[in-house]
Amino acid sequence: MAAATRKKAKSKKKAATKKKAVRKSAAKKKTAKKKTVKKAVKKKTAKKKVAKKKVVKKKAAKKKSASKSKRKSPSARKSAAYSPPNKHSISFTVNGALVETEAPAHTSLLYLLRDLGFTEVKNGCEAGDCGACTIMLDDVAVNACCMLGVQANGSKIETVKGIGTVDNLHPIQEKFIELGGIQCGFCTPGMIVAAKALLDDNPTPTREEVKVGISGNLCRCTGYVKIIDAIEAAAADMASK
Ligand code: FES
Ligand code: FES
């Protein structure tokens, strides 16, 4: 009887141990499963994050390339911005001859005259400092570089060539040659026009008045004494006739 009881107890113990082992292994399995699920979720989230990053990157690249293609090259921008200036009809007389032309509003009278072939109007400074471009505009000496071509419309212009010709020199031109008032000659056309304007206004100027009369004309050869002598002599010559 005792042996039977012992056997029963032993088998009960064995069954309990087995149950425990089964429970343990089930719990282990559950934990492992949980871990696997957790890992999978983690992996999925990471994957999602990478995909999201990729989309953002792609979008940014697309935006950049779109704005780049929208941007025009400097030359394209320049050609798009450029529109040729309107030309204006201009007419005036130069040394008695009618000249009809057209030019943009910003063209200076100096450039216009030289482009038309009146190269006796010299370009020295283009700033009103040297007087090399002096012309007579409606009987007043002006610097052609300080005027616009359109401003001369309807005017009477006289250059050094209109004052006298090679065959019929003006007394001022004669005296410039005779007394050495011409050195390199660059200032001479403007100087003679300024002298003509002075003598037209004041036929018998004093030496001081001659100096003031040509004070807007620079001679880079610095031969002012001979120039002043020539103007004085021309005035005396003209007064005696
Ligand atoms: S070029 Fe006109 S003043 Fe010098
Ligand atoms: S003669 Fe040469 S600049 Fe006057």
Side-chain angles (χ1 to χ4, degrees):
M1 180 72 180
T5 311
R6 260 201 314 273
K7 204 175 176 183
K8 209 177 174 181
K10 209 175 176 181
S11 94
K12 215 177 175 179
K13 205 177 173 182
K14 212 173 174 182
T17 311
K18 205 175 176 182
K19 233 181 187 175
K20 209 176 173 182
V22 167
R23 259 207 311 269
K24 213 173 177 180
S25 107
K28 219 174 177 179
K29 260 185 188 172
K30 210 176 173 182
T31 311
K33 203 177 176 182
K34 253 189 189 172
K35 266 188 184 170
T36 310
V37 169
K38 225 177 179 178
K39 230 178 179 177
V41 168
K42 215 172 174 184
K43 214 173 174 181
K44 210 174 172 183
T45 312
K47 233 177 177 178
K48 259 189 185 173
K49 257 187 187 174
V50 170
K52 206 176 174 184
K53 250 186 193 174
K54 263 186 185 171
V55 170
V56 170
K57 238 180 179 175
K58 221 174 176 180
K59 263 188 184 171
K62 215 174 172 183
K63 211 173 170 184
K64 203 174 171 184
S65 87
S67 79
K68 212 175 178 182
S69 71
K70 253 189 193 174
R71 250 184 280 146
K72 284 177 181 155
S73 68
S75 65
R77 255 184 285 146
K78 210 173 169 187
S79 73
Y82 179 74
S83 59
N86 286 334
K87 287 191 172 183
H88 299 268
S89 298
I90 303 165
S91 71
F92 40 60
T93 60
V94 180
N95 302 330
L98 178 67
V99 176
E100 288 178 311
T101 185
E102 50 179 31
H106 64 264
T107 304
S108 73
L109 182 56
L110 170 62
Y111 270 70
L112 185 60
L113 288 171
R114 288 184 62 82
D115 285 351
L116 288 166
F118 301 102
T119 50
E120 69 270 26
V121 184
K122 298 298 175 198
N123 182 353
C125 66
E126 291 183 35
D129 292 330
C130 73
C133 64
T134 307
I135 54 161
M136 296 283 265
L137 187 102
D138 293 334
D139 301 321
V140 177
V142 298
N143 290 331
C145 69
C146 295
M147 279 190 70
L148 296 171
V150 287
Q151 288 178 302
N153 189 35
S155 303
K156 181 182 88 175
I157 292 170
E158 226 180 334
T159 71
V160 71
K161 281 189 178 174
I163 291 174
T165 62
V166 175
D167 299 324
N168 186 24
L169 292 173
H170 187 278
I172 300 172
Q173 292 164 324
E174 274 179 354
K175 294 299 173 191
F176 262 70
I177 297 169
E178 208 181 297
L179 299 174
I182 298 171
Q183 288 127 91
C184 80
F186 192 80
C187 72
T188 309
M191 209 54 105
I192 287 176
V193 174
K196 169 85 168 38
L198 168 71
L199 298 187
D200 282 354
D201 196 44
N202 178 6
T204 51
T206 62
R207 197 165 176 86
E208 273 316 299
E209 285 169 336
V210 171
K211 286 182 191 174
V212 172
I214 58 163
S215 58
N217 296 68
L218 301 179
C219 175
R220 59 187 180 184
C221 301
T222 67
Y224 291 104
V225 172
K226 289 179 177 180
I227 291 170
I228 295 163
D229 287 348
I231 297 169
E232 273 188 326
D237 188 34
M238 286 160 75
S240 69
K241 281 177 185 168

